[in-house]
Amino acid sequence: MERRGALAGVTILDFTERMQGPYATQMLADMEADVIKVERRESLTPDGRPDDRYGERGSYGSDPDDSKIYSAGFLACNRNKRSITVDLKNPRGLEMIERLVQQVDVVYENFRPGVMDRLGMGYERARQLNPGIIYASATGYGPDGPYAGKPGQDVLVEALTGWGAINGDSTGRPVPVGTAIADTLGAMNGAFAVACALHHRAVTGEGQKVDVCLFDSALAALAEWGVHFLNTSIGEPRRTPATHASPYTPPPYGFYKTQDGYIALSSGRQLRILSQILGVEDLSEDPDYATYWPRFENREQFSKHIEQALAAKTTAEWVELMEKEDMFVAPVNSFSGAFADPQVAHNEMVRVVHSPIGDLKLLGPPYRLSETPATVRTPPPQHGQHTDEVLLERGFSVEEIAELRTQNAI
């Protein structure tokens, strides 16, 4: 029997743009939910740029001038989906969406609070049409509160929630994370919440509203560092040196320079074996490093001390020696090194799909279910590629579809 994804049979009407929402619905699509991406009639990005999902000229990846990060933003978050277009401000377009809402399991949107209500498809209206609907809203700061109306964007949220501070350099200057970490966390939390809501409905028959936001997701992910700050007198985070991974954790815990690159070490419980391999006096007996607080206070001195020894060999040589002793160690890879890593290939974390621009490499699902695996089946859709297909499946006649197109509703 052919294995199906865990969400096969679930249909999601996806009104999301940019990353927090689209990444979440892509996670659900990877589990074979039928995600119908509802897009604007005009082939434009939310801020009015020409649609650049495969490049403005359709040559992303092959033409350097047509290979902007904006295309990757769409391609990274919209595989396994079908695209339809609609003008929600057109009464006929709204009527069409109302018919679809009555037939789906989930509505997922990530506009600012109030936008979907103004368009006529907020939670209360969706629930009138479909009492069992699960309605997910992904926002910047939540549905209400002092920041609810502000623009929510990853770097802004990193600034507000302390991520810039905890990622700061050795001078105390805050530094943003190099990826859209708040968006990624918000997406994962949103997908998890929707999966929970689907289970609850399967048990009780009851739909519900799901709210997720960048702000809460970033704060929650501060985890042990946030809890430590809230409950102790440790004070503001300060990373000295900047290659020390955690401002609240004693070394070794970070990246350390070798002869030809950097190595990651992450366990203070291995000081004795580290000293033996490096050929230095036993650090576990040195009063400056032997216990938690001295090592915490002397972390900059500690880094200089072991880097003097690490300069004698290459990263690969040290990794080989340390792995033989089961140390917590890893090379610090570049992007080239990361994507060439044998574990990446083994875990099938780069998947190839055939797309309108040829073979397209995408990042694979980061989880495995033995009986209902996630799959990468189709490339990110072209704008409105599946409008007729979806409407025909949902009971619209050929004549109705033609009329909707004539009236500029789709």
Side-chain angles (χ1 to χ4, degrees):
M1 184 176 70
E2 181 184 1
R3 293 190 298 180
R4 299 294 306 276
L7 297 179
V10 171
T11 302
I12 298 171
L13 213 51
D14 176 4
F15 292 89
T16 67
E17 297 175 334
R18 300 202 186 269
M19 185 174 179
Q20 180 183 201
Y23 191 93
T25 52
Q26 176 175 275
M27 290 178 68
L28 301 169
D30 287 351
M31 299 306 297
E32 289 198 45
D34 181 12
V35 177
I36 300 168
K37 186 172 183 65
V38 183
E39 303 200 67
R40 307 159 190 258
R41 282 188 68 248
E42 301 80 10
S43 183
L44 297 173
T45 64
D47 51 1
R49 296 191 312 271
D51 183 0
D52 47 18
R53 64 193 67 197
Y54 286 103
E56 292 180 25
R57 298 186 295 277
S59 54
Y60 173 75
S62 60
D63 177 358
D65 289 336
D66 200 26
S67 298
K68 300 173 183 175
I69 190 66
Y70 307 121
S71 294
F74 184 91
L75 298 175
C77 300
N78 288 287
R79 63 171 175 245
N80 292 337
K81 301 180 185 180
R82 298 191 289 171
S83 169
I84 67 172
T85 62
V86 67
D87 180 1
L88 281 174
K89 296 179 181 179
N90 183 313
R92 294 286 285 123
L94 183 58
E95 288 175 16
M96 182 193 89
I97 291 299
E98 288 180 339
R99 283 178 62 178
L100 293 179
V101 167
Q102 294 176 63
Q103 303 178 53
V104 304
D105 301 286
V106 179
V107 168
Y108 209 121
E109 60 92 10
N110 70 336
F111 298 107
R112 292 195 207 185
V115 170
M116 288 295 281
D117 287 310
R118 291 195 294 274
L119 291 171
M121 195 42 65
Y123 173 55
E124 293 302 328
R125 178 57 179 153
R127 188 168 64 165
Q128 288 176 356
L129 295 165
N130 184 345
I133 197 73
I134 293 163
Y135 193 104
S137 292
T139 58
Y141 306 100
D144 43 41
Y147 293 172
K150 290 187 176 185
Q153 195 275 337
D154 186 273
V155 170
L156 308 182
V157 169
E158 285 187 46
L160 286 167
T161 57
W163 273 81
I166 204 164
N167 196 48
D169 66 18
S170 59
T171 70
R173 177 169 179 160
V175 177
V177 177
T179 63
I181 187 67
D183 275 285
T184 305
L185 294 165
M188 291 180 171
N189 288 333
F192 172 73
V194 165
C196 291
L198 285 166
H199 174 72
H200 175 76
R201 194 184 65 183
V203 173
T204 68
E206 181 182 40
Q208 62 183 299
K209 178 89 171 353
V210 171
D211 279 298
V212 65
C213 68
L214 300 174
F215 190 80
D216 292 354
S217 295
L219 271 178
L222 290 177
E224 63 189 277
W225 298 271
V227 167
H228 194 53
F229 174 82
L230 289 170
N231 291 280
T232 72
S233 59
I234 192 69
E236 291 292 334
R238 184 69 178 271
R239 290 174 65 198
T240 52
T243 51
H244 187 67
S246 164
Y248 296 145
T249 306
Y253 198 80
F255 297 165
Y256 302 92
K257 188 168 178 55
T258 66
Q259 187 180 91
D260 67 341
Y262 293 87
I263 195 170
L265 298 168
S266 68
S267 178
R269 292 173 294 180
Q270 298 179 323
L271 284 182
R272 180 169 280 107
I273 188 63
L274 174 64
S275 303
Q276 292 173 6
I277 292 172
L278 294 181
V280 300
E281 292 184 9
D282 189 350
L283 296 173
S284 67
E285 299 293 334
D286 188 321
D288 285 341
Y289 309 125
T291 57
Y292 183 101
W293 287 115
R295 201 161 68 254
F296 176 78
E297 296 296 337
N298 294 313
R299 54 192 184 274
E300 192 162 11
Q301 177 182 313
F302 179 93
S303 294
K304 291 177 181 178
H305 189 72
I306 67 167
E307 284 186 348
Q308 288 176 353
L310 288 168
K313 298 181 186 297
T314 66
T315 295
E317 289 170 332
W318 286 124
V319 168
E320 183 179 7
L321 288 171
M322 293 180 187
E323 283 186 339
K324 288 179 180 177
E325 301 297 331
D326 200 30
M327 286 189 63
F328 286 30
V329 62
V332 179
N333 281 334
S334 63
F335 259 36
S336 297
F339 286 110
D341 195 288
Q343 193 69 42
V344 172
H346 177 81
N347 290 356
E348 299 182 314
M349 279 305 296
V350 175
R351 305 289 182 91
V352 180
V353 294
H354 188 69
S355 78
I357 55 173
D359 284 345
L360 178 68
K361 296 176 182 178
L362 300 173
L363 298 176
Y367 41 81
R368 300 183 186 185
L369 282 72
S370 63
E371 303 306 318
T372 54
T375 54
V376 177
R377 303 177 303 281
T378 62
Q382 296 279 40
H383 181 257
Q385 178 181 345
H386 305 98
T387 302
D388 288 25
E389 174 182 295
V390 168
L391 294 182
L392 286 169
E393 288 175 1
R394 297 288 160 177
F396 288 77
S397 68
V398 172
E399 292 74 21
E400 284 178 305
I401 295 171
E403 182 185 3
L404 286 167
R405 189 160 278 116
T406 298
Q407 297 182 358
N408 294 326
I410 60 174

